[in-house]
Amino acid sequence: QVQVVESGGGLVQPGGSLRLSCIASGNTFSIYRMGWYRQAPGKQRELVASITDSGTTTYGHSMKGRFTISRGNTKNTVYLQMSSLGPEDTAVYYCNALQSGPWAAAWGQGTLVTVSS
């Protein structure tokens, strides 16, 4: 099994930047995609960004151009660089790891990002 842990959330002013980190552990060989989702108060969970084993990235519509997903020195670590943040970005951000053999999804407990002046 795979476990993921997020970190880096906090309070940031509008227009500011923040970088989130996610570290996967366990049977990380089975991971073929890692990503970030977020859920704001009163809204459904949505895709922020994802990255595959081959490096292919996908972004949610409102994040493209402002957010960047990347991997560290190993594929077991993934980052989310967020820029030009606004109040609409306030949410709990969750790291996700999609596994195969068998198929399963691992979720972190979330890290809160609050954008406010």
Side-chain angles (χ1 to χ4, degrees):
Q1 292 294 316
V2 171
Q3 300 82 42
V4 294
V5 178
E6 314 97 329
S7 63
L11 176 64
V12 62
Q13 293 188 338
S17 299
L18 202 63
R19 188 170 84 154
L20 306 182
S21 301
C22 176
I23 300 175
S25 61
N27 187 21
T28 57
F29 179 79
S30 66
I31 300 174
Y32 86 93
R33 186 177 71 184
M34 293 186 68
W36 293 92
Y37 290 74
R38 71 183 186 186
Q39 188 164 25
K43 300 184 66 177
Q44 63 184 13
R45 187 172 298 188
E46 63 178 339
L47 171 70
V48 177
S50 66
I51 186 167
T52 68
D53 285 344
S54 62
T56 301
T57 58
T58 301
Y59 293 92
H61 176 72
S62 64
M63 300 82 177
K64 199 171 185 64
R66 300 187 300 125
F67 293 5
T68 302
I69 189 170
S70 62
R71 289 187 294 210
N73 292 329
T74 72
K75 69 176 183 179
N76 299 334
T77 302
V78 67
Y79 303 100
L80 181 69
Q81 180 66 48
M82 304 184 291
S83 301
S84 301
L85 289 166
E88 68 275 11
D89 296 311
T90 295
V92 176
Y93 286 71
Y94 298 90
C95 184
N96 167 265
L98 186 60
Q99 311 159 63
S100 61
W103 289 69
W107 292 90
Q109 292 186 315
T111 184
L112 177 63
V113 173
T114 302
V115 184
S116 177
S117 59

